């Protein structure tokens, strides 16, 4: 008999624009984002400390838009 409990998957919270780790996207995360604005030297593994959210090598408007998608969301 199968033990259904073994199929339980634990999901880690994932909010890529939560830079300060408080599980919400707020003004503090924008403040943490700004120092990296327009950097073009982002690469694996840290992607400019995660600010290059779409991992294209630079911190630009596309990353800011992704940050905006999570605006005021919390886990
Ligand atoms: Ca946060
Ligand atoms: Ca980017």
């Amino acid at each position: 008999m199968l033990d259904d409990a073994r199929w339980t998957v634990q999901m880690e919270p994932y909010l890529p624009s939560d830079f300060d780790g408080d599980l919400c996207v707020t003004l503090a995360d924008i403040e943490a984002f700004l120092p990296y604005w327009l950097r073009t030297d982002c690469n694996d593994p840290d992607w400019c400390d995660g600010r290059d959210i779409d991992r294209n090598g630079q911190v630009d408007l596309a990353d800011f838009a992704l940050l905006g998608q999570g605006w005021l969301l919390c886990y």
Side-chain angles (χ1 to χ4, degrees):
M1 183 174 175
L2 287 176
D3 177 3
D4 289 340
R6 69 182 176 157
W7 299 107
T8 300
V9 176
Q10 295 293 323
M11 300 294 288
E12 292 292 324
Y14 182 64
L15 202 54
S17 49
D18 173 29
F19 302 124
D20 65 355
D22 70 348
L23 303 182
C24 292
V25 178
T26 64
L27 193 58
D29 299 298
I30 290 182
E31 289 173 354
F33 179 83
L34 289 180
Y36 294 83
W37 181 244
L38 297 181
R39 275 186 50 173
T40 57
D41 59 343
C42 308
N43 51 49
D44 198 27
D46 81 328
W47 303 104
C48 286
D49 214 14
R51 274 61 171 180
D52 180 12
I53 298 171
D54 65 0
R55 298 183 176 182
N56 70 345
Q58 56 192 17
V59 178
D60 57 18
L61 204 55
D63 302 297
F64 189 71
L66 289 168
L67 190 159
Q69 286 179 5
W71 182 243
L72 297 182
L73 291 180
C74 294
Y75 276 100

